[in-house]
Amino acid sequence: MLAYIIRRLLLVVPTLFGIMLVNFAVIQFAPGGPVEQAIATWQGHGAAATSRFAGGGSDVPGAEGAQGELGGGGISSGKYRGAQGLRPEVIAAIEKQYGFDRPPHERFFRMLRDYARFDFGESYFSDKRVIDLLVEKMPVSVSLGLWTTLIIYLVSIPLGVRKAVRDDSRFDAWSSGVIVAGYAIPSFLFAVLMIVLFSGGRYFDIFPLRGLTSENWEDFPWWRQIADYFWHITLPVLSMVIGGFAGLTMLTKNSFLDQIKLQYVQTARAKGLPESRVLYGHVFRNAMLIVIAGFPAMFIGILFTGALLIEVIFSLDGLGLLGFEAAINRDYPVMFATLYIFTLIGMLMQIVRDVMYTIIDPRIDFESRHV
């Protein structure tokens, strides 16, 4: 198993290189990059602002100290939309401010060199180091992702097993109705409903609407800090769980049903083994493989993209909102840093998934695979 893990870790490097290269190339053709946005800003400020920039001043938000090792959206022979009327030295100064005075291949390899040291430069528009932004937003997204994934698995697996054991019963029928209803309601719509019902929207004012903690959270005793944290996170997590557990529950049920119908289960029962041992000693181990396989994708999806609307609705400043704002503002250091980090995490989670495969079912041998 150790040799397989080493081979998989070695494959992370070329895979990550290819993903970054493709996305960097795509960005070269994306209009509205930071240079064009800076040009639009200076055009709006007028000739006085333009002369200040040409003289070395800078009023572009976040331009000071920007690393600029990233893709330059909209570059075409040094021409930009909206640049009419600006002197060439002004455009050259703007390009240099963001680092776009260098050719694309040089920017790309400088970016990879810096990213290998986890040096992501500075945001173009927030005057902060990208790593500081990520660390600042990480607790919110990690809280949502971990609690949501944990609750979904704790609810879905027992419920799916119960539905499989009692297939076609009244319990299976009414629980399927509840699951379908939960799956049909988008998480953001359920979040709005929770606000209306329990957050002062119209009926009850039980839960807070903003942030993960109260303003004076640091002054609370430790037990009250924990209570305050869970008080704030209850509605966001509940909104994400309600639609997420449906698919996993049905996947667990169908996986169990497929295993129960196999010959080895009939043989185990014929030998007189207790039903609990048949289900949890034989069927459970095989049925859980496909469920565990989806864990990395579910966690990464919730951590990065699944919580975007929830973060907006509940005013939670996390990574989902950060990535969305970076894409809108063409903040390339933040965009590529989040892409790099979450791609790396995703690939490492795939390796963790394979290790969990072997723990649950030792019959699986990855050593024999040439991967």
Side-chain angles (χ1 to χ4, degrees):
M1 189 62 187
L2 179 60
Y4 171 77
I5 294 176
I6 293 175
R7 292 198 301 269
R8 288 294 301 271
L9 289 174
L10 292 177
L11 280 175
V12 167
V13 176
T15 304
L16 191 59
F17 175 86
I19 292 174
M20 298 299 294
L21 177 62
V22 170
N23 284 273
F24 183 89
V26 170
I27 286 297
Q28 304 307 305
F29 301 98
V35 174
E36 291 183 349
Q37 293 192 19
I39 289 174
T41 300
W42 289 111
Q43 290 282 33
H45 287 170
T50 302
S51 62
R52 287 199 305 270
F53 190 92
S58 176
D59 295 328
V60 179
E64 290 81 6
Q67 294 292 328
E69 315 299 348
L70 305 172
I75 295 179
S76 178
S77 302
K79 297 180 180 179
Y80 302 91
R81 293 188 302 176
Q84 295 80 3
L86 288 181
R87 298 195 304 272
E89 58 268 24
V90 174
I91 297 178
I94 296 175
E95 290 180 334
K96 185 175 182 179
Q97 186 74 50
Y98 288 104
F100 296 147
D101 55 326
R102 291 185 288 270
H105 69 275
E106 182 178 341
R107 294 198 304 272
F108 177 71
F109 285 106
R110 285 175 64 93
M111 178 186 72
L112 293 184
R113 182 199 64 189
D114 293 339
Y115 280 19
R117 305 194 304 263
F118 287 91
D119 178 9
F120 303 111
E122 295 187 13
S123 169
Y124 288 158
F125 301 102
S126 65
D127 288 332
K128 291 184 179 180
R129 296 173 63 241
V130 174
I131 190 66
D132 293 336
L133 279 174
L134 296 176
V135 172
E136 177 184 337
K137 314 297 184 184
M138 185 72 74
V140 174
S141 296
V142 169
S143 293
L144 290 176
L146 283 178
W147 286 115
T148 301
T149 306
L150 178 62
I151 294 175
I152 287 175
Y153 269 77
L154 289 178
V155 172
S156 299
I157 292 179
L159 181 58
V161 173
R162 184 71 170 175
K163 287 174 63 62
V165 173
R166 302 183 62 180
D167 188 35
D168 292 331
S169 65
R170 293 181 60 183
F171 171 81
D172 184 41
W174 71 258
S175 61
S176 295
V178 174
I179 289 173
V180 171
Y183 186 75
I185 301 176
S187 60
F188 71 90
L189 187 60
F190 191 80
V192 174
L193 177 63
M194 291 294 99
I195 291 174
V196 172
L197 293 178
F198 303 112
S199 195
R202 185 171 181 179
Y203 296 98
F204 304 101
D205 190 4
I206 301 175
F207 296 98
L209 187 58
R210 300 180 62 87
L212 283 184
T213 56
S214 301
E215 293 183 359
N216 55 340
W217 184 81
E218 293 82 2
D219 300 329
F220 295 164
W222 65 268
W223 59 268
R224 190 176 174 187
Q225 288 181 341
I226 297 176
D228 183 77
Y229 167 76
F230 283 107
W231 181 47
H232 281 75
I233 205 174
T234 297
L235 291 188
V237 170
L238 182 62
S239 301
M240 297 176 65
V241 165
I242 196 67
F245 83 96
L248 186 60
T249 299
M250 298 308 297
L251 177 64
T252 303
K253 174 190 174 181
N254 294 332
S255 180
F256 255 75
L257 288 177
D258 290 340
Q259 293 294 323
I260 289 174
K261 297 176 183 178
L262 295 181
Q263 184 62 43
Y264 78 91
V265 177
Q266 304 301 326
T267 303
R269 287 172 173 168
K271 290 180 178 180
L273 294 179
E275 188 67 14
S276 59
R277 184 174 179 183
V278 172
L279 291 177
Y280 299 103
H282 297 277
V283 176
F284 184 83
R285 182 177 62 184
N286 297 325
M288 284 300 98
L289 290 176
I290 190 172
V291 176
I292 292 174
F295 176 83
M298 175 179 289
F299 178 73
I300 295 300
I302 292 174
L303 185 63
F304 188 50
T305 60
L308 172 59
L309 292 177
I310 300 299
E311 290 179 7
V312 173
I313 293 173
F314 289 99
S315 301
L316 302 174
D317 196 7
L319 292 174
L321 185 59
L322 175 66
F324 175 76
E325 292 177 344
I328 295 297
N329 296 324
R330 300 296 193 271
D331 196 344
Y332 292 146
V334 177
M335 289 174 57
F336 279 94
T338 53
L339 172 67
Y340 177 86
I341 290 177
F342 281 96
T343 301
L344 180 61
I345 293 175
M347 289 188 290
L348 293 178
M349 290 295 287
Q350 294 294 327
I351 299 176
V352 172
R353 180 202 64 181
D354 291 345
V355 173
M356 293 179 66
Y357 270 157
T358 60
I359 294 175
I360 293 178
D361 191 350
R363 295 172 300 175
I364 297 178
D365 182 16
F366 287 107
E367 293 285 355
S368 60
R369 297 177 56 185
H370 300 286
V371 178

